[in-house]
Amino acid sequence: MSSTETPPELTARPKRADARRNYEKVVAAAREAFADRGSSTSLEEIARRANVGIGTLYRHFPTRQALLEAVYVGEVEDLCRSAADLAEQPPWDALVAFVHRLVAYLATKQALAAELLDYVDRDAGLFKSSRAALWAAGEPLLRRAQEARVARPDTDLSEVIQMVGGIAKIPTTEPGQMDHILEIALDGLRYRE
Amino acid sequence: MSSTETPPELTARPKRADARRNYEKVVAAAREAFADRGSSTSLEEIARRANVGIGTLYRHFPTRQALLEAVYVGEVEDLCRSAADLAEQPPWDALVAFVHRLVAYLATKQALAAELLDYVDRDAGLFKSSRAALWAAGEPLLRRAQEARVARPDTDLSEVIQMVGGIAKIPTTEPGQMDHILEIALDGLRYRE
DNA sequence: GAACTATACGGAGGGTGCCTCCGGTTTGTC
DNA sequence: GACAAACCGGAGGCACCCTCCGTATAGTTC
């Protein structure tokens, strides 16, 4: 559990071919299963879909979170990287656009949202890389908006993401409603003298 | 399933004494259990605590939600009734105070929050009476604030409650953080020309 | 290409929770 | 006191979680 031990990828020999294959099969099956049966799909169901024993699934992914992470982390990172193009836009617009993308994504992945946001203000644990990506993309946007005096200075990215994440988790029926709620909240983020 | 049938309380004979007793025992046990073992306590555990067979529990409360409602609905209604004294305060302050009370309560009852808010914008289902109480208390406060031009006119109580509920569900570690996020969101609710 | 071993597989099994069903018991009534 | 309606409670079937370990296989060495 110490952070000083040698990273496994430098000491361990490469995984066996069958192990890698099964890992991929499980992730693929999980992605499908989460998509069309909801994110509370049982791990046994996923193992069945992947044509893999339950034991194998558990060896690769000791917890449900670990699997969730493997399924979604890549997508979050893509989304964050895609935020690079926002740098050209005006500070406020860029921030708003980023937040909207994030919410749109999270809203479709309730399970991810719930788990990921649990770790937003904790430093350790899973989803560390997602958290890092989120910060790399969001921090500059927020700071720029604050320096341009279009966003209130008395807050930080952690709060913004938590607020926005809370909104993303709202179970709305009407389509435009979440956007409107988000708009209200973002108005609260604006600078006022 | 039709809404035209006679309400049960007008046709059915009063419950038997033992049934009422057990009902109360289960609610009491559930309240305790949810309080000190979290709201995911198993129904069997609650039945054990209540010294009641699992079958009895299920007869009185066919679903987990039904039990949750029996445990918490009274509290929500109390909270809403207690909002009457806010009528004397300035419109904006009254609205803010109400929202703060609501969030403070919901934050301690994550399970309730999650379930209740699922029904905020649906008309049927459980938690109907909670919903009614919420509206009776909140609607006048919001409308008064809107008429006084201190709250934005382009929203309604449903949105406000959903926004606030989303925030209440945020799992924060630092104590003041949720209040601050709420403050930001409420700023977004203010009137601007 | 055969022998060997670290690595990985997979499913049986024990534990828990969900929910239903129905034989037996209790309550309220006549 | 007797009777029926209402109610009780737990056994049992099912699904899921997770662990453990005997068996199979990939990769390595000669």
Side-chain angles (χ1 to χ4, degrees):
Chain A
M1 293 302 145
S2 132
S3 57
T4 60
E5 55 195 16
T6 316
E9 60 270 21
L10 296 182
T11 60
R13 64 175 62 182
K15 276 188 172 181
R16 260 170 52 171
D18 51 349
R20 238 169 349 196
R21 257 197 320 273
N22 278 335
Y23 180 98
E24 293 304 336
K25 282 204 293 185
V26 170
V27 171
R31 178 170 287 125
E32 273 181 43
F34 286 152
D36 65 53
R37 293 176 65 113
S39 50
S40 60
T41 314
S42 76
L43 299 185
E44 314 226 284
E45 162 76 14
I46 291 170
R48 275 192 296 272
R49 283 192 182 221
N51 275 318
V52 140
I54 185 67
T56 298
L57 187 149
Y58 271 95
R59 197 167 334 95
H60 287 299
F61 308 100
T63 68
R64 182 182 213 79
Q65 271 185 356
L67 178 55
L68 224 44
E69 185 177 18
V71 170
Y72 291 127
V73 157
E75 296 181 24
V76 174
E77 290 175 351
D78 286 350
L79 182 138
C80 289
R81 259 193 301 278
S82 88
D85 60 5
L86 295 174
E88 303 160 9
Q89 296 190 27
W92 179 255
D93 295 351
L95 181 62
V96 167
F98 174 66
V99 165
H100 265 103
R101 285 189 199 173
L102 186 59
V103 168
Y105 177 72
L106 289 182
T108 65
K109 307 289 158 69
Q110 296 282 340
L112 170 69
E115 302 282 353
L116 176 57
L117 294 171
D118 266 1
Y119 286 93
V120 160
D121 66 342
R122 293 172 182 61
D123 204 2
L126 303 165
F127 292 105
K128 217 171 181 173
S129 57
S130 292
R131 189 178 179 277
L134 230 39
W135 249 249
E139 186 85 82
L141 292 175
L142 177 59
R143 197 171 39 238
R144 192 158 68 102
Q146 287 175 323
E147 281 165 1
R149 300 186 155 252
V150 293
R152 62 194 297 159
D154 64 334
T155 189
D156 57 27
L157 189 62
S158 165
E159 287 186 349
V160 173
I161 288 184
Q162 286 190 87
M163 179 173 82
V164 153
I167 291 171
K169 281 193 282 181
I170 294 173
T172 52
T173 43
E174 287 161 53
Q177 198 162 44
M178 196 161 78
D179 276 340
H180 194 226
I181 295 174
L182 183 59
E183 194 183 300
I184 294 175
L186 283 176
D187 260 3
L189 207 59
R190 280 206 157 95
Y191 181 85
R192 340 169 103 89
E193 60 298 325
Chain B
M1 294 305 146
S2 133
S3 57
T4 61
E5 54 195 16
T6 316
E9 60 271 22
L10 296 183
T11 61
R13 65 175 63 183
K15 276 189 171 179
R16 258 171 51 171
D18 52 349
R20 238 175 347 205
R21 256 198 320 271
N22 278 334
Y23 180 96
E24 293 304 337
K25 282 204 292 185
V26 170
V27 171
R31 178 169 289 125
E32 274 181 42
F34 285 154
D36 64 54
R37 293 175 65 112
S39 50
S40 61
T41 315
S42 76
L43 299 184
E44 315 228 283
E45 161 76 14
I46 290 169
R48 274 192 296 272
R49 284 192 182 221
N51 275 317
V52 140
I54 185 69
T56 298
L57 187 150
Y58 271 96
R59 196 166 338 93
H60 288 300
F61 307 99
T63 68
R64 182 184 213 77
Q65 271 185 357
L67 179 55
L68 224 44
E69 185 178 19
V71 170
Y72 290 126
V73 157
E75 297 181 23
V76 173
E77 289 174 350
D78 286 350
L79 182 138
C80 289
R81 259 192 301 277
S82 87
D85 60 4
L86 296 174
E88 304 160 9
Q89 296 190 28
W92 179 255
D93 295 352
L95 181 62
V96 167
F98 174 66
V99 165
H100 264 103
R101 285 188 200 175
L102 186 59
V103 167
Y105 177 72
L106 289 182
T108 65
K109 307 289 158 69
Q110 296 282 339
L112 170 69
E115 303 284 351
L116 176 56
L117 294 171
D118 266 0
Y119 287 93
V120 160
D121 64 343
R122 293 171 182 62
D123 205 4
L126 302 166
F127 293 104
K128 218 171 180 174
S129 57
S130 292
R131 188 177 179 278
L134 231 37
W135 250 249
E139 187 85 82
L141 292 176
L142 176 61
R143 196 172 41 239
R144 193 159 66 102
Q146 286 175 323
E147 280 165 2
R149 300 185 157 253
V150 293
R152 62 193 298 158
D154 65 335
T155 189
D156 58 27
L157 189 62
S158 166
E159 288 186 348
V160 173
I161 287 184
Q162 286 190 86
M163 178 173 83
V164 154
I167 290 171
K169 281 193 283 181
I170 294 172
T172 51
T173 42
E174 287 161 54
Q177 198 161 43
M178 195 160 78
D179 277 339
H180 194 226
I181 294 174
L182 183 58
E183 194 182 302
I184 294 174
L186 283 176
D187 259 3
L189 207 60
R190 281 206 155 94
Y191 181 85
R192 343 168 100 90
E193 59 296 326

